[in-house]
């Protein structure tokens, strides 16, 4: 009996002591930009309520999945949006009533020889497809779509693939295989020189997928929501702006042909993601900083934070996927926006300490090259696509560190800055 009491005490009192400690020190935290919500007086109670809500929703999700009843109506925060990978990993229908609806896919990959690849499309209403493509090759350098840094394109919609401006991204086998192809001109970054490029590449999964609807650590979710000012309107907004998002690491192989003469075989590792939802408004993102790394031992990871003040002003995200197939969400991170690039200039070197599962990680990121592109018709978001080398707990790796800033100055001001360069 005494052993049982001791165990129950450790389970109940431990979290209570931790929450009380954080509650007390929150009143003495250093002054930071007002955009990022901090722990308030009611934080411990709010945190426990959200943890309970997430637990209940996860239980509901298991029942819903057993009955094949997922509809997307109440997705997120522990509940899946679809019943199966087949329903998730395909072109999604954009609801006509939602003018800001989105269905977006993104691929990035690299290797230890500083070869990199990034391709993405975001399907919107009225056949708008926000598109980017970067290919960095040895002896050639960085190539990009001629339309960049603007991503706002119009192209005929397809119900089987993501297509725009010669780029086609096609799901072949759910969560296993995609086809990536391109035919057309690419521009050498920083110049007006064009080259003709063709490729037919294959993306093949190396890990399980990580579903942000169900797989995020409950602590980071509860912590981010508990920091915010609560109201009925707040929780309505939280659900309204939710997007389903999942990520999976894989390998891209094939040959890139330049000017019909030079062939460049590629074998690259990196992440792909898929997002869909009723609203994606780039004006609502203040910042985000997300790091994707593939390590030499086959470990794949994501760690970062998102600031969307309308819902979650400081939201830690991430996971570690190990070669043995295990999947661990990030439970804590020392990354704070106000410490890194708050002036709009991302650092060339970044250091993050974080915890996933039972392991602690020390990540060092060094930027190799950092092209910029804009999202939104009026260039609402300015995104730095940073090709990087990584060192994580002594293991070498490579990947992308993507940093987004809200472009408060607008498109015209940004174009003037580009013209002056």
């Amino acid at each position: 009996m005494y052993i049982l009491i001791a165990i129950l005490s450790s389970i109940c009192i431990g979290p209570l002591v931790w929450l009380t400690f954080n509650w007390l020190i929150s009143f003495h935290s250093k002054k930071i930009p007002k955009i990022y919500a901090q722990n308030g007086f009611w934080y411990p109670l709010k945190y426990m309520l959200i943890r309970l809500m997430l637990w209940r929703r996860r239980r509901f999700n298991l029942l819903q999945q057993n009955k094949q009843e997922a509809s997307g109506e109440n997705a997120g925060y522990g509940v899946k949006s679809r019943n199966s990978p087949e329903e998730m990993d395909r072109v999604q229908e954009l609801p006509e009533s939602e003018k800001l609806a989105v269905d977006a896919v993104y691929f990035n990959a690299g290797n230890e020889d500083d070869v990199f690849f990034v391709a993405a499309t975001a399907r919107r209403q009225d056949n708008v497809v926000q598109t980017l493509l970067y290919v960095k090759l040895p002896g050639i350098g960085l190539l990009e779509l001629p339309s960049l840094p603007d991503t706002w394109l119009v192209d005929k919609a397809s119900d089987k693939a993501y297509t725009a401006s010669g780029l086609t991204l096609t799901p072949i086998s759910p969560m296993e295989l995609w086809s990536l192809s391109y035919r057309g001109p690419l521009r050498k970054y920083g110049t007006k020189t064009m080259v003709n490029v063709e490729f037919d590449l294959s993306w093949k999964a190396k890990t399980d997928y990580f579903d942000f609807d169900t797989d995020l650590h409950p602590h980071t979710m509860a912590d981010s929501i508990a920091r915010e000012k609560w109201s009925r309107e707040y929780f309505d907004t939280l659900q309204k702006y939710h997007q389903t998002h999942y990520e999976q690491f894989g390998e891209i192989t094939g040959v890139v042909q330049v000017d019909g003469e030079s062939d460049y075989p590629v074998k690259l590792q990196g992440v792909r993601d898929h997002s869909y939802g009723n609203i994606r408004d780039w004006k609502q993102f203040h910042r985000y900083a997300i790091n994707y790394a593939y390590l030499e031992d086959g470990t794949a990871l994501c760690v970062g934070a998102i600031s969307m003040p309308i819902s979650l002003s400081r939201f830690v995200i991430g996971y570690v996927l190990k070669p043995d197939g295990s999947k661990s969400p990030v439970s804590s991170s020392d990354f704070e926006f106000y410490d890194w690039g708050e002036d709009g200039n991302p650092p060339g070197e970044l250091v993050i300490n974080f915890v996933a599962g039972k392991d602690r990680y020390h990540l060092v990121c060094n930027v190799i090259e950092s092209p910029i592109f804009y999202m939104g018709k009026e260039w609402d978001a300015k995104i730095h696509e940073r090709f990087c080398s990584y060192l994580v707990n002594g293991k070498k790796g490579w990947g992308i560190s993507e940093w987004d800033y809200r472009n408060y100055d607008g498109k015209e001001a940004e174009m003037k800055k580009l013209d002056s360069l």
Side-chain angles (χ1 to χ4, degrees):
M1 177 63 72
Y2 292 109
I3 295 175
L4 178 60
I5 292 174
I7 293 173
L8 289 174
S9 298
S10 67
I11 293 173
C12 298
I13 296 175
L16 181 61
V17 170
W18 177 84
L19 287 167
T20 302
F21 174 75
N22 277 273
W23 172 55
L24 290 172
I25 67 172
S26 69
F27 297 105
H28 302 282
S29 59
K30 65 178 181 179
K31 184 178 180 181
I32 62 171
K34 293 181 180 179
I35 198 76
Y36 311 117
Q38 297 298 293
N39 300 355
F41 181 84
W42 295 108
Y43 174 86
L45 177 60
K46 292 161 71 177
Y47 176 90
M48 294 300 288
L49 288 172
I50 295 300
R51 286 297 296 261
L52 177 60
M53 181 271 289
L54 292 173
W55 176 78
R56 288 174 60 87
R57 286 181 64 84
R58 289 175 187 272
R59 282 175 56 86
F60 171 77
N61 179 67
L62 292 175
L63 294 174
Q64 180 176 260
Q65 289 297 297
N66 289 335
K67 296 179 181 179
Q68 295 285 293
E69 292 179 347
S71 64
E73 294 295 323
N74 193 32
Y77 314 107
V79 177
K80 290 185 74 69
S81 67
R82 300 289 188 268
N83 290 307
S84 67
E86 289 78 11
E87 292 180 21
M88 296 170 66
D89 212 26
R90 67 184 186 189
V91 175
Q92 301 290 316
E93 182 178 352
L94 296 176
E96 294 182 4
S97 61
E98 300 291 348
K99 298 303 180 183
L100 293 176
V102 68
D103 177 23
V105 294
Y106 166 86
F107 293 79
N108 79 44
N111 65 23
E112 59 187 342
D113 298 320
D114 297 339
V115 179
F116 289 93
F117 174 94
V118 177
T121 66
R123 298 171 55 250
R124 311 300 290 262
Q125 299 289 10
D126 302 320
N127 289 329
V128 170
V129 188
Q130 294 168 299
T131 306
L132 61 137
L133 176 62
Y134 294 110
V135 183
K136 188 174 186 292
L137 298 169
I140 295 289
L142 179 58
L143 304 176
E144 64 176 0
L145 273 181
S147 52
L148 290 173
D150 194 354
T151 59
W152 191 270
L153 302 177
V154 177
D155 211 324
K156 185 178 179 181
S158 167
D159 61 355
K160 297 188 182 300
Y162 298 83
T163 62
S165 193
L167 177 66
T168 303
L169 310 174
T170 309
I172 306 298
S173 180
M175 305 299 178
E176 293 182 2
L177 186 65
W178 281 64
S179 169
L180 320 176
S181 66
Y182 178 76
R183 281 162 178 74
L186 293 181
R187 179 177 58 221
K188 290 189 175 183
Y189 184 71
T191 75
K192 295 182 180 180
T193 303
M194 298 286 186
V195 295
N196 291 314
V197 173
E198 294 186 11
F199 60 73
D200 289 289
L201 307 175
S202 293
W203 180 95
K204 187 174 181 180
K206 291 183 72 69
T207 71
D208 191 5
Y209 68 94
F210 187 93
D211 188 346
F212 280 53
D213 279 347
T214 59
D215 295 342
L216 288 169
H217 199 283
H219 168 68
T220 61
M221 178 63 71
D223 172 68
S224 62
I225 297 176
R227 291 166 178 254
E228 304 295 336
K229 183 177 180 180
W230 285 8
S231 66
R232 176 61 182 272
E233 181 182 7
Y234 170 74
F235 283 101
D236 288 345
T237 298
L238 201 62
Q239 189 62 43
K240 178 181 177 182
Y241 278 83
H242 170 73
Q243 295 174 33
T244 288
H245 179 87
Y246 58 92
E247 300 179 352
Q248 185 178 26
F249 274 77
E251 187 168 75
I252 293 176
T253 56
V255 175
V256 178
Q257 189 178 73
V258 179
D259 278 339
E261 297 179 358
S262 302
D263 290 344
Y264 295 86
V266 296
K267 184 177 182 180
L268 315 171
Q269 299 80 35
V271 75
R272 75 172 181 99
D273 72 36
H274 187 190
S275 305
Y276 49 86
N278 290 339
I279 297 178
R280 176 179 286 181
D281 184 355
W282 285 99
K283 295 185 181 71
Q284 299 300 341
F285 288 93
H286 173 63
R287 285 185 63 185
Y288 68 69
I290 304 175
N291 300 276
Y292 297 107
Y294 185 86
L295 308 184
E296 57 187 349
D297 70 344
T299 298
L301 65 88
C302 163
V303 62
I306 299 170
S307 176
M308 191 175 178
I310 197 172
S311 57
L312 302 172
S313 61
R314 190 264 189 188
F315 181 26
V316 171
I317 63 168
Y319 53 84
V320 175
L321 307 173
K322 292 186 177 180
D324 63 7
S326 62
K327 177 168 57 176
S328 300
V330 168
S331 58
S332 66
S333 165
D334 67 359
F335 177 87
E336 296 290 353
F337 284 111
Y338 50 78
D339 289 331
W340 300 96
E342 188 65 21
D343 61 356
N345 297 304
E349 180 176 287
L350 171 70
V351 178
I352 301 177
N353 296 289
F354 65 96
V355 177
K358 297 180 180 179
D359 299 319
R360 296 181 177 274
Y361 295 88
H362 178 73
L363 177 149
V364 179
C365 168
N366 282 282
V367 179
I368 298 168
E369 194 160 8
S370 181
I372 295 171
F373 62 90
Y374 299 87
M375 296 297 284
K377 189 173 184 179
E378 296 304 317
W379 292 17
D380 306 311
K382 182 177 184 179
I383 300 179
H384 301 251
E385 196 74 358
R386 295 141 46 93
F387 307 150
C388 303
S389 64
Y390 286 93
L391 191 65
V392 181
N393 288 1
K395 297 182 177 66
K396 294 181 180 179
W398 46 88
I400 298 293
S401 174
E402 187 171 272
W403 288 51
D404 164 62
Y405 291 89
R406 172 73 171 94
N407 179 24
Y408 294 99
D409 292 336
K411 182 177 180 178
E412 186 175 345
E414 286 297 306
M415 293 185 70
K416 287 181 179 178
K417 292 178 186 177
L418 294 172
D419 290 340
S420 65
L421 295 178

